[in-house]
Amino acid sequence: MQEGLLKSWNAGATRQAIISFVARVTLEGGPDYVAPAARIAVFDNDGCLWCEKPMPIQADFLLRRIAEQADADPTLRDKQPWKAVHGRDQGWLGDVITKHYEGDDTELKQMAAGLLSAYVDDEVGEFAKKAEHFLRSEQNPVLKRPYLKTAYAPMRELLHYLEANQFTNYIVSGGGRDFMRPITHELYGIPPERVVGTTVLLEYREEDGIGKVVHTSKLDVFDDGPNKVVRIWSRIGARPIFAAGNSNGDIQMLQFATQGEGASLALLVTHDDHERDIAYTSGAQKSVALAKERGWPLVSVRDDWAKVFVD
């Protein structure tokens, strides 16, 4: 089972729960055996596979473009999110996702309208280049680490461990699909076709007889909450047997993975380490309570991880 792949995990109940689950579903002839084709694992990305504080990485990428727009057009500065970005209102910006996870999407809708305008008319290939350049060149402003070095080492090891045991791993994230795709294979071993995420509506256009796909200013799917389950089925066509998340937006995905027939496991990452990570509980209270009720292992950054970030 190659347990040595989990070298950044401290010995304890959580690590053992993972190892025991994999042992059960890979034991041929055993009561919980699952054929390799059905060993499907789904992972949230922001806050689960890489750090999402002080703001999600893609939010930083998009808000920098919003700032450029506000600098160029003063009339935008009276509207959100341009107003908050131009005025450096970190409170408004920071509360948007937290309020969403608490059931209030008023400000999220304002934010989304602005963010959807950030890269309108960009050809998908050009957008991918911009996203990759940003991810490779910018850093987390609090941790002072390059963004690609804020991936969580134990979770990356978990992905490799599952893959070594013939699981097929997918990312199912509220983050943008096309923002993540340029780096997921390198960072996680997950190819672009196995990345499920939020998407803008794309449009096919022809210029001088050459076809291209471009971003529009309309949202296609916000891949969060119940939408994660719908997208898992529409993209994968099967129920996962393993799921990992970290927030209220992952609840339905974790439930879906654990409500099928046979063995299953759901993990919830909890950010409780003030020294090595950015600790927080906002937006995760409901999921933590449900995990305790259902017996899903809570992954403590402080207690379960011997190492936090990739080198």
Side-chain angles (χ1 to χ4, degrees), residues 33 64 73 108 156 183 191 196 202 208 228 237 266 307:
Y33 177 74
R64 293 189 192 206
D73 184 356
L108 180 64
R156 192 161 74 163
I183 52 81
V196 182
L202 302 175
D208 299 323
K228 286 197 173 190
K307 174 184 177 182

Side-chain angles (χ1 to χ4, degrees), residues 168-208:
T168 302
N169 297 321
Y170 290 81
I171 289 175
V172 182
S173 174
R177 176 197 63 197
D178 294 337
F179 179 75
M180 297 180 285
R181 276 179 167 176
I183 52 81
T184 56
H185 192 269
E186 173 187 333
L187 199 59
Y188 305 130
I190 297 177
E193 63 269 22
R194 286 198 254 126
V195 177
V196 182
T198 294
T199 57
V200 300
L201 194 64
L202 302 175
E203 182 177 280
Y204 175 79
R205 298 176 187 171
E206 285 190 10
E207 293 184 6
D208 299 323

Side-chain angles (χ1 to χ4, degrees), residues 2-19:
Q2 305 187 48
E3 296 171 19
L5 290 174
L6 300 176
K7 59 185 178 181
S8 294
W9 290 76
N10 289 324
T14 303
R15 185 178 188 272
Q16 189 55 48
I18 295 168
I19 292 170

Side-chain angles (χ1 to χ4, degrees), residues 40 231-239:
I40 295 170
R231 297 279 276 176
I232 286 170
W233 188 260
S234 65
R235 290 288 305 278
I236 303 172
R239 186 189 297 265

Side-chain angles (χ1 to χ4, degrees), residues 69-311:
Q69 292 175 328
D71 288 341
D73 184 356
T75 64
L76 292 173
R77 300 173 194 171
D78 293 329
K79 299 187 293 185
Q80 297 289 19
W82 296 273
K83 180 180 179 180
V85 173
H86 186 72
R88 294 182 171 84
D89 184 353
Q90 298 299 325
W92 189 90
L93 295 169
D95 286 345
V96 170
I97 297 299
T98 298
K99 289 182 178 180
H100 162 68
Y101 286 139
E102 293 173 348
D104 181 357
D105 281 345
T106 304
E107 292 175 353
L108 180 64
K109 291 177 181 178
Q110 291 179 305
M111 174 78 86
L115 298 182
L116 286 168
S117 75
Y119 289 95
V120 65
D121 294 330
D122 263 25
E123 189 269 332
V124 289
E126 288 302 311
F127 177 84
K129 290 178 182 177
K130 292 174 182 178
E132 182 175 4
H133 175 74
F134 176 85
L135 287 164
R136 294 189 186 282
S137 61
E138 300 298 337
Q139 69 172 10
N140 183 293
V142 173
L143 297 171
K144 305 300 181 184
R145 295 179 64 89
Y147 273 134
L148 292 186
K149 298 294 186 181
T150 65
Y152 293 121
M155 297 303 288
R156 192 161 74 163
E157 290 170 6
L158 177 55
L159 288 166
H160 297 331
Y161 176 64
L162 293 175
E163 184 178 22
N165 285 281
Q166 295 181 281
F167 278 74
T168 302
N169 297 321
Y170 290 81
I171 289 175
V172 182
S173 174
R177 176 197 63 197
D178 294 337
F179 179 75
M180 297 180 285
R181 276 179 167 176
I183 52 81
T184 56
H185 192 269
E186 173 187 333
L187 199 59
Y188 305 130
I190 297 177
E193 63 269 22
R194 286 198 254 126
V195 177
V196 182
T198 294
T199 57
V200 300
L201 194 64
L202 302 175
E203 182 177 280
Y204 175 79
R205 298 176 187 171
E206 285 190 10
E207 293 184 6
D208 299 323
I210 299 175
K212 63 179 183 178
V213 178
V214 300
H215 286 221
T216 71
S217 62
K218 297 179 181 179
L219 182 66
D220 183 13
V221 175
F222 180 38
D223 192 48
D224 196 58
N227 280 343
K228 286 197 173 190
V229 176
V230 174
R231 297 279 276 176
I232 286 170
W233 188 260
S234 65
R235 290 288 305 278
I236 303 172
R239 186 189 297 265
I241 64 169
F242 182 100
N246 74 294
S247 74
N248 298 342
D250 297 315
I251 288 174
Q252 289 81 7
M253 179 175 76
L254 298 173
Q255 289 177 321
F256 186 60
T258 55
Q259 291 173 340
E261 297 179 0
S264 61
L265 183 66
L267 298 180
L268 191 76
V269 177
T270 58
H271 295 276
D272 54 3
D273 193 320
H274 294 276
E275 301 297 327
R276 302 177 300 167
D277 188 24
I278 300 174
Y280 60 99
T281 58
S282 60
Q285 296 93 330
K286 293 179 182 178
S287 58
V288 169
L290 185 63
K292 292 178 179 178
E293 176 187 319
R294 301 287 175 85
W296 301 336
L298 292 173
V299 179
S300 165
V301 174
R302 181 190 60 214
D303 299 331
D304 288 316
W305 291 354
K307 174 184 177 182
V308 176
F309 296 113
V310 300
D311 295 326

